[in-house]
Amino acid sequence: MNQALQKLIRDRWLLLLVLLWIAVNAGIFMVKGIVTDFEAEKYISQARLVLKNGLPESDNYFLYSTTIYLIALSLKLRLGFGLVVCLQLIMNLISTLFFFRLCERLFKNSTLAFFATSVLLFNVFYQQYNTFLFTESLFYSLVVIYTSYLLLLKTFRLQQFIIITFLLLLLCVTRPTGILMLAATMIYAVFWLLRSMATYKKLLLILGSAIIFFFLLNNLLGLGGTLDFMLPFRNENIICGVDSNIRTDVYVPEKGNSLSGMFAYIVHNPAQVRKLAGLRSVAFFGMTRNYYSAIHNIYLVAFFYPLFVMAVVGSFRLVKKHKSAIIFLLSVVLFFWLTTMLTCDDWHNRFVLTLSPIFILLAFAAFIPLRQTPGYKKPPILGGFSKKVKC
């Protein structure tokens, strides 16, 4: 009877979430429509080059190829951009349901999972990208789907390995930062997927994985095109594309677009790197911008700052019961934060918005009843009242 009631409650929450998802996205579409300017112009032009020449302008665009080739397909079929937006909306709905399922698993509470997912849907700055022809439009959904699938796994066999590998490859060719999910997965594998493996085998696997990761990262940095990883340092960019101060007195290695070049720059210019890392961190977590309206900034502060604070509390609530999951989630946050410190933050907060589902999940974990957390003991004074007192 209890299980039937729980299923009824869960089904009711799922139905409400779908209706809420329709309402939010319909409202955004009526206000925004299909956004084809700003960053979208770059991907549309590359899609036209693909149709004309078979390839984009330079190799670095292969790291954005999911969106570029979807736009090219939509243009080829003469469907305008409707096909791309429909696929983005479908992926977002799937990711929303995955997010609910993950919250439900971690919280052991369908009602709490519903409210967490509702907040994700009301994160308008995140949801608006569903109708943008930006790479984030698919990347956001893929990050949630991949994270949920990985953390919901109970067993790890060949089928799961194939799905994980496919999703990781898809993430890496949707946005360059997809490779950060690979790094976080390697750490997670050590703490959960391979927890029964002998220590020396783990060490060998960690070493081998690190070599493969840094090899891939080094090749990614060297793709060229519009990628210039020394530019944010030379121009002291806090926000990408906005030059704060063009420096000519810093050491710039000849091969800057490489791991060795990045390391050499940090070693030779430590004071500047520390200063920029701090300013970029403030921009990353602060989110407010001087070019936003006062109302916009107030909304960002009111919506996100409480989430950041509660996420810290929620992390401590979950760490004992779901240690591996917390390690993975915090690794993703750390890697995106570190990448921002070494490059620059986005004009529209798109980098931290990628992480907003993680912050929401961790924030709502703070509301898990204490009795559900490991090590909880009923206070002795409460237990004593149930016993008869002998005179």
Side-chain angles (χ1 to χ4, degrees):
M1 182 70 177
N2 187 40
Q3 288 183 347
L5 180 61
Q6 288 178 352
K7 185 178 183 303
L8 180 64
I9 293 171
R10 183 175 185 272
D11 290 345
R12 181 188 65 181
W13 288 142
L14 281 172
L15 177 59
L16 284 174
L17 281 175
V18 172
L19 294 174
L20 183 59
W21 179 87
I22 293 171
V24 169
N25 282 280
I28 291 173
F29 182 77
M30 285 189 290
V31 173
K32 297 281 187 178
I34 298 176
V35 176
T36 59
D37 50 6
F38 303 110
E39 287 286 310
E41 294 177 351
K42 176 170 60 178
Y43 305 120
I44 294 169
S45 66
Q46 293 303 315
R48 296 189 192 281
L49 281 175
V50 167
L51 292 175
K52 182 180 178 181
N53 303 323
L55 293 170
E57 183 180 359
S58 57
D59 290 343
N60 66 294
Y61 282 110
F62 283 111
L63 301 173
Y64 308 91
S65 57
T66 305
T67 299
I68 290 171
Y69 280 88
L70 277 176
I71 294 173
L73 177 63
S74 192
L75 292 174
K76 181 72 174 178
L77 297 175
R78 300 183 183 279
L79 296 174
F81 301 120
L83 175 63
V84 181
V85 171
C86 284
L87 286 172
Q88 289 174 175
L89 285 166
I90 290 170
M91 291 297 290
N92 181 262
L93 176 58
I94 293 171
S95 72
T96 301
L97 298 178
F98 261 103
F99 183 80
F100 172 78
R101 182 69 187 94
L102 177 61
C103 290
E104 191 180 40
R105 167 74 68 83
L106 296 180
F107 302 160
K108 305 295 183 186
N109 186 311
S110 297
T111 302
L112 192 56
F114 167 79
F115 284 110
T117 311
S118 298
V119 171
L120 178 63
L121 288 175
F122 283 119
N123 184 0
V124 178
F125 294 118
Y126 177 90
Q127 297 294 336
Q128 68 180 348
Y129 286 97
N130 294 333
T131 59
F132 285 39
L133 297 188
F134 286 29
T135 51
E136 284 84 4
S137 305
L138 283 171
F139 188 70
Y140 286 170
S141 298
L142 287 172
V143 167
V144 173
I145 291 170
Y146 176 77
T147 298
S148 301
Y149 179 80
L150 185 68
L151 299 185
L152 287 169
L153 282 179
K154 292 183 178 179
T155 59
F156 185 68
R157 297 189 176 89
L158 180 60
Q159 179 182 351
Q160 286 80 21
F161 175 77
I162 292 171
I163 294 172
I164 287 171
T165 303
F166 170 75
L167 288 174
L168 278 173
L169 287 172
L170 190 57
L171 281 163
C172 290
V173 296
T174 301
R175 281 196 62 79
T177 45
I179 197 171
L180 302 178
M181 302 300 293
L182 172 60
T185 302
M186 289 176 175
I187 294 174
Y188 179 68
V190 172
F191 283 92
W192 183 76
L193 299 178
L194 309 173
R195 61 190 182 278
S196 59
M197 184 180 286
T199 303
Y200 80 94
K201 290 183 179 179
K202 279 187 180 181
L203 291 174
L204 289 174
L205 184 64
I206 291 170
L207 179 61
S209 299
I211 292 172
I212 293 171
F213 173 75
F214 287 118
F215 172 78
L216 292 172
L217 182 59
N218 194 58
N219 279 275
L220 183 153
L221 292 173
L223 283 175
T226 57
L227 295 177
D228 182 355
F229 290 93
M230 292 296 102
L231 184 66
F233 287 110
R234 292 196 305 270
N235 295 355
E236 295 199 336
N237 299 133
I238 308 305
I239 305 299
C240 297
V242 181
D243 299 342
S244 299
N245 179 33
I246 299 177
R247 295 285 295 270
T248 58
D249 58 337
V250 292
Y251 169 82
V252 180
E254 185 178 345
K255 295 183 178 179
N257 280 3
S258 65
L259 287 176
S260 60
M262 292 284 287
F263 180 75
Y265 190 96
I266 293 169
V267 169
H268 284 86
N269 308 287
Q272 186 212 25
V273 171
R274 286 196 301 270
K275 182 189 79 170
L276 291 176
L279 292 172
R280 289 163 181 167
S281 296
V282 171
F284 184 75
F285 288 107
M287 297 187 71
T288 58
R289 302 284 192 262
N290 57 15
Y291 45 80
Y292 286 164
S293 67
I295 294 176
H296 192 149
N297 282 326
I298 290 170
Y299 177 89
L300 289 173
V301 170
F303 187 93
F304 287 100
Y305 284 24
L307 289 178
F308 294 154
V309 175
M310 296 305 296
V312 176
V313 179
S315 297
F316 284 106
R317 284 284 178 92
L318 285 177
V319 71
K320 290 185 178 179
K321 196 170 185 180
H322 301 286
K323 180 180 178 181
S324 300
I326 290 298
I327 288 172
F328 175 79
L329 295 172
L330 294 183
S331 295
V332 174
V333 172
L334 177 63
F335 289 140
F336 274 83
W337 178 19
L338 181 61
T339 301
T340 301
M341 285 193 288
L342 292 175
T343 53
C344 51
D345 197 19
D346 179 67
W347 179 274
H348 292 298
N349 299 117
R350 286 177 294 172
F351 301 156
V352 75
L353 282 173
T354 307
L355 306 174
S356 59
I358 294 177
F359 291 128
I360 291 169
L361 185 152
L362 294 176
F364 272 82
F367 296 101
I368 297 175
L370 279 172
R371 64 179 179 273
Q372 292 184 18
T373 58
Y376 170 75
K377 293 181 180 179
K378 184 184 290 186
I381 191 172
L382 297 178
F385 288 114
S386 62
K387 297 179 182 179
K388 293 182 178 179
V389 179
K390 294 182 178 180
C391 300

